[in-house]
Amino acid sequence: MIEAISTRRPRKAQVARREILTVAARMMRERGYAEMSLRDLAAEVGMKAGSLYYHFASKEELACEVMRAGVEIVSEAVTQELNEAGDIPPRDRLVTALRIHLETLQSASDFASAHIRCYPFVPPAVQAELKEVRRAYDRVWSIIIRAYLGPGADANRVRYLRHVLIGALNWSLEWFDPERDDVAGYVETLAGLLPAEPGGSA
């Protein structure tokens, strides 16, 4: 994650690196990967364009770190909330995961938004670098969904439901308006589409 910058770096370099990542995440969210100019980025953080290469070897490396942090921020938020919730029914765990994923997207993270909006458009090498962190978060959801559907749940059903739910949450970035829309209301609507009992049939 962005906070986990190596302590071996001089503190000034750590601060500069963190600022570059934060601004890059916002620019990627607003403009997309292709339109994120390193020259504009450097100007916004108050350094020469060439100085960015002290911190990141390439635009691809910078994008990869921004987007990896985006997945980790959401994954850690969901995992932490579920750990704190303790032993709750599988359906409640699923609804909690829906809520925390959505809240994190809407309130906390240009990084997550940058990942969602830019992933289809980054170079294949960047996508390959992000494959494992994406799979790790998928596994978090697969465990939650499998527990909810029951031990005999078909693997495809687990995968389909994961895609449906995460897709619905992530698409909210395109239409959700905090002045009009409500996180709890949207989560309640999604939850209403689920079977009432863990292991039930859709």
Side-chain angles (χ1 to χ4, degrees):
M1 283 186 58
I2 185 172
E3 292 82 6
I5 295 170
S6 171
T7 56
R8 293 192 297 271
R9 288 177 175 272
R11 177 160 178 78
K12 185 176 180 180
Q14 292 183 32
V15 171
R17 183 179 177 86
R18 185 175 294 111
E19 183 179 8
I20 291 166
L21 287 167
T22 300
V23 174
R26 177 175 54 77
M27 292 177 69
M28 289 175 67
R29 177 179 185 171
E30 293 175 350
R31 305 182 185 185
Y33 172 77
E35 298 303 320
M36 182 187 69
S37 161
L38 293 187
R39 186 177 299 276
D40 290 347
L41 172 59
E44 190 154 343
V45 298
M47 63 175 60
K48 295 180 179 179
S51 299
L52 288 176
Y53 293 99
Y54 170 76
H55 301 280
F56 300 96
S58 64
K59 180 178 178 179
E60 290 78 10
E61 181 182 307
L62 171 60
C64 190
E65 188 153 345
V66 166
M67 295 169 71
R68 180 180 291 110
V71 178
E72 290 174 344
I73 287 167
V74 180
S75 180
E76 290 180 11
V78 169
T79 301
Q80 180 178 339
E81 184 73 16
L82 291 176
N83 287 342
E84 292 176 355
D87 186 18
I88 59 176
R91 188 176 192 278
D92 291 346
R93 292 183 69 80
L94 178 53
V95 173
T96 297
L98 292 171
R99 176 176 58 81
I100 297 302
H101 184 110
L102 185 59
E103 285 179 351
T104 306
L105 286 187
Q106 294 298 332
S107 67
S109 183
D110 282 342
F111 290 87
S113 301
H115 185 113
I116 292 165
R117 288 177 165 159
C118 295
Y119 182 80
F121 308 107
V122 295
V126 175
Q127 293 182 351
E129 284 291 322
L130 295 168
K131 184 176 294 185
E132 182 50 41
V133 73
R134 288 167 60 90
R135 285 179 173 173
Y137 189 44
D138 283 346
R139 287 193 289 271
V140 170
W141 275 87
S142 292
I143 291 169
I144 296 167
I145 292 170
R146 187 172 289 109
Y148 166 69
L149 292 177
D154 178 77
N156 276 337
R157 189 177 181 208
V158 172
R159 182 168 59 90
Y160 296 156
L161 186 55
R162 188 186 74 228
H163 284 308
V164 166
L165 294 176
I166 295 180
L169 295 170
N170 290 349
W171 183 248
S172 70
L173 290 172
E174 302 300 326
W175 59 262
F176 194 95
D177 180 351
E179 296 184 0
R180 178 195 63 195
D181 301 306
D182 174 64
V183 167
Y186 186 43
V187 169
E188 182 181 353
T189 299
L190 289 178
L193 302 176
L194 300 170
E197 297 296 333
S201 299

